[in-house]
Amino acid sequence: MSKTTELSVIEIKLEQAPALYVANGLDGFLDQIRSSVNEVPDLSTAKGRARIASLSASVSRSKTAIEKPGRELLKKIKEQPKIIEAELRRFISECDTLRDEVRRPLTEWEEEQERIRLEEESKAEAERYSKMRDDADKDNTAFDLAKAKELALQIEAAHATALLDNYEYDRDIAEKKAEAERQRIAHEEELKRQAVEQAQREADEKIQREREASAKREADLKAQAEQAERDRIDVAAKAEADRLAAAQQAEREKQEAIAAEQLKAKQEADRIQRETKQKEDARLAEERRLAEEAAARAANIEHQKTINNQVIAILTKAGLSTDCAKECVIAIVKNQNAAAASGMKPPVQINY
């Protein structure tokens, strides 16, 4: 009987997810799942087949319980770049506002100092111009009208030049300030852009790493599930093969036992048949021997009778009576038989 274990319900809290969904972070759950299905139910029974289906379903439930929090975490990670970008924009805007707010007194002071400087320069230029006019008025008595006009033109030209210089200076200052502000804004925008790009790259890289890790985990899970299925099929096939082999072995042993019994019975029947035949052959041989001996004796008797009759005829022809000749032959035969029985050679014998 195989030992069965029940797979406990797997639950992953969201705060646990970041520490679990890393490289090999789910191995503990895999070991737990493998341990819970480490049994080989009897495929030949309805209960065993139901147990196999239950184990397979428990693996699917465990897979879903582990996959769902991971998918939720992955969704949050995909939303994170947008959140980071919005937060960075808000943070940069707040910092810019705070920077301008902090610098406002200095900026206002610098602007006031620049205004005072420009007023002083304008006042000095006006005083210089007024002095030149006064000097020109004083010198009008010493110079002729043409010289006065020339001096007036020089004064007007100097005044225009001074005004132009002030305008160009103001424009240059404004352009420098505008350029500095533009460069500052461009620099800050570049920093923002670089920060956003860096955050985006890091988020993309993290997402890619997570995607690759997730794909690898899914591939590993799939490979492990396929391997487990192959192992299960191999175990079931081996169990079925072992069962068939055992049944075939039992059938072979049964057939061999039957064949052995049949062979033993046949051998016994053959032995009995041989013994019966041998007895019958011996009986027939004995009968033939007896018959042959009887026939031989009869033939011998007949032969001896013929020879004896020939001897009687010879003796009768020699002058003995038939009865005397018969008595002589009988006497010779008896003496011949007695001598043969005692191993002696008779003095007179009849050769048959």
Side-chain angles (χ1 to χ4, degrees):
M1 181 181 295
S2 61
K3 181 180 179 181
T4 61
T5 57
E6 294 298 333
L7 180 61
S8 59
V9 177
I10 295 177
E11 181 180 1
I12 297 178
K13 296 181 180 179
L14 192 58
E15 58 269 20
Q16 296 176 309
L20 292 175
Y21 295 100
V22 295
N24 302 321
L26 299 175
D27 283 350
F29 293 109
L30 282 175
D31 293 339
Q32 181 182 348
I33 294 171
R34 290 194 188 100
S35 176
S36 68
V37 297
N38 187 22
E39 58 180 279
V40 184
D42 187 359
L43 189 63
S44 63
T45 66
K47 183 177 180 181
R49 292 190 291 273
R51 179 60 181 168
I52 292 173
S54 175
L55 291 174
S56 176
S58 69
V59 173
S60 296
R61 288 194 298 271
S62 299
K63 180 198 72 172
T64 302
I66 293 173
E67 181 184 19
K68 185 177 179 181
R71 295 297 181 188
E72 292 177 356
L73 176 62
L74 188 59
K75 182 179 179 182
K76 289 187 64 177
I77 291 174
K78 290 180 179 179
E79 293 174 353
Q80 197 65 26
K82 297 179 181 178
I83 298 174
I84 293 173
E85 173 64 21
E87 182 62 13
L88 281 173
R89 284 199 299 268
R90 186 189 69 81
F91 174 78
I92 291 170
S93 177
E94 291 291 334
C95 285
D96 289 345
T97 302
L98 180 60
R99 179 203 61 202
D100 295 341
E101 189 68 26
V102 171
R103 200 182 190 285
R104 179 177 292 113
L106 177 59
T107 302
E108 291 176 351
W109 182 86
E110 290 175 345
E111 291 175 351
E112 179 64 19
Q113 294 301 312
E114 182 67 15
R115 186 188 63 78
I116 292 171
R117 185 185 65 79
L118 292 175
E119 286 182 355
E120 289 178 349
E121 289 180 354
S122 179
K123 183 178 179 181
E125 184 64 24
E127 290 176 351
R128 187 171 65 85
Y129 174 72
S130 178
K131 184 176 181 300
M132 290 176 65
R133 290 289 300 269
D134 292 342
D135 291 342
D137 290 340
K138 290 178 181 179
D139 291 338
N140 279 339
T141 57
F143 296 95
D144 55 13
L145 183 59
K147 191 67 174 179
K149 288 181 179 180
E150 181 181 354
L151 181 60
L153 290 174
Q154 290 177 356
I155 292 171
E156 290 294 335
H159 179 67
T161 300
L163 292 177
L164 181 60
D165 289 342
N166 286 338
Y167 171 76
E168 291 179 351
Y169 176 79
D170 292 342
R171 186 182 63 183
D172 185 55
I173 291 297
E175 288 178 353
K176 288 181 179 179
K177 288 178 66 177
E179 178 63 20
E181 182 66 14
R182 186 190 65 76
Q183 291 181 359
R184 181 188 65 78
I185 293 173
H187 179 65
E188 291 178 353
E189 290 296 327
E190 179 63 18
L191 291 178
K192 291 179 185 178
R193 185 188 64 78
Q194 291 178 0
V196 170
E197 289 181 353
Q198 180 66 22
Q200 185 64 43
R201 280 196 302 272
E202 292 177 355
D204 291 343
E205 290 172 358
K206 184 176 181 180
I207 291 172
Q208 182 62 25
R209 288 194 300 271
E210 290 296 331
R211 185 180 294 115
E212 292 174 354
S214 177
K216 184 178 183 301
R217 288 193 296 270
E218 290 180 0
D220 291 343
L221 286 173
K222 182 178 179 182
Q224 290 168 1
E226 291 174 350
Q227 183 61 44
E229 180 64 14
R230 287 194 295 270
D231 292 343
R232 183 192 66 77
I233 293 173
D234 291 343
V235 169
K238 185 178 184 302
E240 180 64 14
D242 291 344
R243 186 187 67 79
L244 292 175
Q248 292 172 355
Q249 179 65 23
E251 182 64 22
R252 281 196 301 272
E253 291 176 355
K254 177 182 176 182
Q255 295 300 325
E256 289 174 357
I258 293 173
E261 288 296 327
Q262 291 176 345
L263 178 61
K264 183 178 179 181
K266 183 177 182 302
Q267 290 174 344
E268 181 65 17
D270 291 344
R271 184 188 64 78
I272 294 172
Q273 185 178 5
R274 283 195 305 273
E275 290 180 354
T276 302
K277 186 175 182 301
Q278 289 173 356
K279 290 179 181 180
E280 182 65 17
D281 291 344
R283 185 186 65 79
L284 293 175
E286 182 64 17
E287 288 180 354
R288 283 195 300 273
R289 185 185 65 78
L290 294 175
E292 289 173 354
E293 288 180 354
R297 284 195 301 273
N300 188 43
I301 291 171
E302 188 65 27
H303 176 67
Q304 288 178 355
K305 184 178 180 181
T306 300
I307 298 299
N308 289 337
N309 287 333
Q310 290 176 356
V311 173
I312 290 171
I314 292 171
L315 291 176
T316 301
K317 188 177 180 180
L320 294 177
S321 63
T322 301
D323 291 336
C324 184
K326 289 182 179 179
E327 290 295 334
C328 288
V329 170
I330 291 171
I332 291 171
V333 170
K334 286 182 178 180
N335 184 62
Q336 185 174 331
N337 290 335
S342 61
M344 296 177 63
K345 185 176 180 181
V348 179
Q349 65 179 10
I350 299 173
N351 293 323
Y352 296 103

